[in-house]
Amino acid sequence: MNKKFLLNRFGRTLLTLVGVSIIAFMILHLAPGDPARIMLGQFATEENIEIFREQHHLNEPLPVQYGAWITGVMQGNFGYSIRYNRPVHELIWTRMWPTLTLTVSALVLAVILGFTLGILAAIKRNSWLDYITTIQAMFWISIPAFWLGILFLYFFGLRLRWFPIGGMAGLASLVLPVFALGLREEAWFARPMRSEMLEVLNQAYIRSARARGIKERVIITKHALRNALIPLVTMIALRLPWIIGGSVVIEVVFAWGGMGSLLVNSVLARDFPVVQAILLLISFAVVMANLFADLLYSVIDPRIRLED
Amino acid sequence: MMSPILDINDLYLSFSTEEGELEAINGLNLEVEQGKIHGLIGETGCGKSVTGRTVLGLFDSNTMIKGGEILYNGDDLLSKTQHELQRDYRGNEIAMIFQDPGSSLNPVFKIEDQLDEVLRIYQPGKKAERRKKMIAALNAVKLPDPERLLKKYPHQLSGGMKQRVMIALNLACQPSLLIADEPTTALDVSIQAQFINVLKELQKEIDITILYITHDMAVVSEICDQVSVMYAGRIVEDVSMEDLFNKPVHPYSKLLVSSVLGPETNIDNLVEISGSVPRLINPPPGCRFHPRCEHMKPECKEEPPVLKEVAPGHQVACFKEDLS
Ligand SMILES: Nc1ncnc2c1ncn2[C@@H]1O[C@H](COP(=O)(O)OP(=O)(O)OP(=O)(O)O)[C@@H](O)[C@H]1O
Ligand code: SF4
Ligand SMILES: [Mg+2]
């Protein structure tokens, strides 16, 4: 791979990260009013507020405060949660795994289901399967995430009693939130996969492979799919922020004790150190996913893989 | 006379389009002798590529077969299913090189992988053996440094190299009939000559039959044994290459040959002077050439003329009196 391309790409990633961290930091100061008062609440004494200020460097100029904060962050120190009175990194560490389980499972479900439906719809164009793929995709996309979650809870949890209604008790409680999150995303993969496949199947190299007597199954799963996947890799990275956003909502609906519900609770409790840390982590994940997609893109498309 | 390897009889094929039915192939008769290089020539849009694709059953979705038969060694290909065509004919009996070499190779696979895929199907053997065969296949089409070439992706090759790789890829299937659809159109003139020489030599060596589709009269004179002249979906003359240039009979063939004296040999530029191909949606009735023909008679507008033998190995479809 080309060094200049790599350097350029890494440089941009770094800049984005700096920008993102500044925004996460500024959240505290953009909220109207005195940050110390916001965090401690209206009944705090002047004295306590002054102590709090000293502790959190709130009397220093902003760049100095940012410097102190980001230095801590880089050492894994995100400060103290005001609400839980515990180090933020401990809180996040325990909340990260449920969120990862939820989002990764949903993504895997979305990719497998979306790609399969998209490919089948392309091969059987204008069949009932094609129409169903389109209709179900529109259906999932047009329902808000929280509403879909509530519907699932009502039907499969309350009515049919197939799955627990929220909480994190084993694999069974994972099913509904994963489907509520994953089906929406599946819709975003099925349609592009279908149109990519259709386009690729019309290419001259597919016809010429057919003329060589290569089996149709191999034409689809190897010759066509490999080409159709190239743009879809980027698609996955582009959907990542939405999956994370969706997971915040779904976590709240299903009482899933991950970072999403922690984020919402912390916002409500004005627990700014936690909010800052989670925003920073989520942005970090999205930025890194984009970087990864770019690198992967150049691995799976030989035309981009520049000679050294 | 030997029985032909490919024998197309009264083929009618249309495309359904938004403007109506487009009668692309209209009573086409074509016989290709075993072991020959048979040219198929005609202006752009006359149906050469469609004819080639139809032999392999590679139809666009709006294709309607209206009648006729395509006999390959006596078996009617039009009665086969796509699966039968794939299993029994494509590759192992009939292969095809398409008009656009640039996009005929899969961009995401190395030459090595694409060649090996074909070898594993048609010439199975150990990996080392297959590798030897790959090198030999690239050597056979005179590609330099095959070892390095195998590791390359299509976009790293020039047009001429890609087209030779396509030949290697198709010959690795060991077909008996190769349909080559204007394989040189996209190449530089100097590379064209090289390519044609390579193909000619190979054809003698492995005794393959080639249906060579082209626009270019110069290429015809260099490579073809027999030539079918096509006009608006029909063969109007079937003649040996020598006789085509020395004594063409059909008015359209005469037009082609008479204007080939200068440096310009591309049919499309030659015939522009005397009007252009008719539209194939509601085409002229009878002989489709009649709006451009100076020998036109009343009956030319009634029925299309059929191919008649005027000399051994020389057939013409025309109502003109003195067919010579
Ligand atoms: N799928 C299709 N739908 C509608 N019309 C088509 C289709 N494929 C080909 N045609 C038409 O059929 C006619 C014959 O096309 P074909 O490609 O065989 O011409 P050709 O002789 O190969 O021309 P060229 O020399 O430009 O390659 C043309 O009028 C073309 O527009
Ligand atoms: S059939 Fe008639 S119109 Fe057609 S080429 Fe012969 S003379 Fe001309
Ligand atoms: Mg063509």
Side-chain angles (χ1 to χ4, degrees):
Chain A
M1 211 176 297
N2 185 301
K3 277 212 192 76
K4 211 171 132 200
F5 166 78
L6 274 185
L7 274 178
N8 190 330
R9 196 62 192 76
F10 280 120
R12 267 174 34 213
T13 305
L14 204 68
L15 273 181
T16 316
L17 284 177
V18 170
V20 154
S21 71
I22 291 177
I23 292 171
F25 169 77
M26 288 304 289
I27 293 267
L28 177 60
H29 299 273
L30 290 177
D34 173 10
R37 172 138 323 265
I38 292 172
M39 283 194 270
L40 292 184
Q42 48 181 328
F43 302 115
T45 61
E46 277 309 319
E47 198 180 329
N48 283 348
I49 283 182
E50 199 43 48
I51 294 171
F52 186 86
R53 283 216 166 131
E54 280 301 317
Q55 270 176 359
H56 291 84
H57 313 285
L58 287 179
N59 292 329
E60 317 263 356
L62 279 183
V64 177
Q65 287 186 40
Y66 171 76
W69 178 70
I70 200 73
T71 317
V73 165
M74 286 199 276
Q75 294 160 353
N77 173 15
F78 290 88
Y80 262 73
S81 157
I82 298 157
R83 181 164 175 243
Y84 296 94
N85 206 10
R86 277 173 64 194
V88 173
H89 68 87
E90 272 182 36
L91 265 179
I92 286 183
W93 185 250
T94 52
R95 295 298 198 105
M96 191 156 78
W97 301 111
T99 295
L100 277 179
T101 315
L102 176 64
T103 45
V104 172
S105 314
L107 185 63
V108 170
L109 174 80
V111 167
I112 292 178
L113 203 62
F115 283 12
T116 312
L117 283 176
I119 293 166
L120 290 176
I123 304 172
K124 307 241 177 263
R125 189 180 51 223
N126 297 334
S127 69
W128 60 268
L129 195 120
D130 187 11
Y131 298 133
I132 287 188
T133 302
T134 308
I135 292 167
Q136 61 93 33
M138 304 231 288
F139 181 76
W140 300 129
I141 288 178
S142 49
I143 300 183
F146 77 91
W147 184 233
L148 190 62
I150 290 172
L151 281 181
F152 273 25
L153 267 183
Y154 179 71
F155 280 110
F156 302 109
L158 277 177
R159 271 301 173 85
L160 298 169
R161 293 181 182 279
W162 287 355
F163 301 101
I165 46 168
M168 293 196 292
L171 218 57
S173 53
L174 186 63
V175 175
L176 288 185
V178 164
F179 272 82
L181 187 57
L183 285 179
R184 278 176 61 76
E185 288 310 315
E186 169 267 307
W188 287 99
F189 296 139
R191 294 291 294 171
M193 179 48 112
R194 175 186 181 275
S195 51
E196 251 339 293
M197 254 336 231
L198 281 179
E199 196 183 316
V200 170
L201 283 172
N202 263 326
Q203 297 293 313
Y205 54 80
I206 296 294
R207 195 175 54 194
S208 115
R210 284 201 179 113
R212 274 174 262 140
I214 292 166
K215 289 199 183 85
E216 193 60 20
R217 189 176 45 79
V218 179
I219 300 265
I220 304 276
T221 56
K222 183 176 157 195
H223 289 260
L225 186 58
R226 184 60 207 280
N227 282 280
L229 275 181
I230 294 171
L232 278 148
V233 166
T234 326
M235 187 75 200
I236 296 179
L238 286 178
R239 289 305 303 169
L240 206 75
W242 299 91
I243 297 183
I244 295 176
S247 80
V248 173
V249 176
I250 294 293
E251 281 188 14
V252 172
V253 171
F254 286 88
W256 188 260
M259 288 207 295
S261 42
L262 178 64
L263 176 66
V264 172
N265 291 337
S266 305
V267 169
L268 295 177
R270 302 207 169 100
D271 195 350
F272 281 96
V274 179
V275 175
Q276 285 176 324
I278 293 181
L279 288 183
L280 192 65
L281 277 182
I282 289 178
S283 324
F284 184 75
V286 170
V287 171
M288 288 324 256
N290 274 309
L291 175 67
F292 182 71
D294 262 16
L295 298 184
L296 194 61
Y297 193 82
S298 58
V299 170
I300 63 175
D301 188 350
R303 284 159 295 187
I304 299 185
R305 213 182 303 160
L306 308 160
E307 254 102 294
D308 35 351
Chain B
M1 198 169 118
M2 262 171 49
S3 68
I5 183 168
L6 182 69
D7 184 5
I8 306 181
N9 293 315
D10 292 320
L11 183 66
Y12 288 82
L13 181 152
S14 297
F15 294 109
S16 55
T17 71
E18 283 177 6
E19 294 155 83
E21 180 178 341
L22 188 150
E23 300 171 20
I25 307 286
N26 190 253
L28 178 121
N29 283 284
L30 177 65
E31 281 185 21
V32 179
E33 291 276 329
Q34 171 91 47
K36 293 277 167 61
I37 300 187
H38 191 119
L40 181 59
I41 67 173
E43 279 160 273
T44 178
C46 73
K48 305 182 295 293
S49 299
V50 171
T51 305
R53 291 206 304 267
T54 304
V55 171
L56 279 173
L58 296 167
F59 304 118
D60 292 332
S61 54
N62 59 344
T63 307
M64 299 180 283
I65 302 284
K66 293 281 174 147
E69 54 180 14
I70 300 178
L71 302 179
Y72 176 79
N73 284 331
D75 299 330
D76 186 8
L77 297 180
L78 284 178
S79 68
K80 308 282 178 198
T81 63
Q82 284 290 317
H83 177 67
E84 285 170 331
L85 287 171
Q86 176 262 313
R87 188 191 57 198
D88 302 332
Y89 295 96
R90 289 180 197 151
N92 44 357
E93 291 292 342
I94 312 170
M96 182 161 178
I97 297 168
F98 293 91
Q99 213 160 336
D100 33 9
S103 48
S104 284
L105 288 162
N106 195 325
V108 300
F109 296 117
K110 290 187 186 134
I111 304 305
E112 179 175 47
D113 300 328
Q114 308 200 36
L115 250 179
D116 200 37
E117 176 179 48
V118 167
L119 285 176
R120 276 200 310 255
I121 304 175
Y122 298 106
Q123 305 184 47
K126 293 221 176 62
K127 199 167 179 196
E129 274 171 46
R130 293 203 311 268
R131 197 164 174 88
K132 266 190 211 143
K133 283 184 184 157
M134 284 191 233
I135 308 270
L138 295 182
N139 273 327
V141 290
K142 306 256 157 50
L143 277 164
D145 205 355
E147 293 274 359
R148 265 192 61 204
L149 199 90
L150 283 174
K151 297 276 171 232
K152 298 215 165 183
Y153 286 95
H155 73 277
Q156 296 167 309
L157 310 184
S158 69
M161 288 164 96
K162 276 186 218 169
Q163 198 58 296
R164 287 192 221 180
V165 170
M166 281 315 295
I167 299 272
L169 211 48
N170 279 283
L171 294 186
C173 306
Q174 302 188 308
S176 308
L177 171 66
L178 177 70
I179 302 172
D181 189 356
E182 308 197 22
T184 60
T185 322
L187 306 182
D188 287 354
V189 180
S190 59
I191 300 168
Q192 272 186 24
Q194 271 178 21
F195 178 86
I196 284 170
N197 283 332
V198 167
L199 199 62
K200 243 165 111 175
E201 272 178 41
L202 272 173
Q203 192 263 342
K204 285 212 189 73
E205 249 170 67
I206 58 178
D207 191 34
I208 190 175
T209 310
I210 300 179
L211 178 61
Y212 197 102
I213 298 173
T214 180
H215 274 287
D216 193 327
M217 294 300 277
V219 173
V220 171
S221 71
E222 270 171 60
I223 196 168
C224 295
D225 302 310
Q226 187 77 13
V227 183
S228 294
V229 182
M230 192 164 179
Y231 188 82
R234 251 175 123 86
I235 303 298
V236 295
E237 181 158 4
D238 190 273
V239 58
S240 71
M241 187 271 285
E242 289 81 8
D243 285 356
L244 172 66
F245 287 96
N246 295 333
K247 37 180 180 183
V249 172
H250 194 280
Y252 181 61
S253 312
K254 283 190 168 157
L255 175 70
L256 292 184
V257 173
S258 67
S259 41
V260 81
L261 303 166
E264 181 55 76
T265 56
N266 185 329
I267 291 174
D268 290 331
N269 301 332
L270 297 181
V271 290
E272 249 168 31
I273 358 163
S274 63
S276 58
V277 220
R279 275 164 52 85
L280 297 176
I281 301 171
N282 295 324
C287 173
R288 285 183 172 183
F289 186 61
H290 80 246
R292 292 165 82 178
C293 182
E294 51 188 26
H295 304 280
M296 204 255 290
K297 308 194 292 182
E299 69 234 64
C300 299
K301 289 181 174 177
E302 310 276 315
E303 283 293 308
V306 293
L307 281 172
K308 277 187 305 229
E309 188 155 86
V310 294
H314 191 168
Q315 295 179 299
V316 180
C318 179
F319 290 126
K320 204 169 54 151
E321 264 104 51
D322 57 329
L323 288 179
S324 56

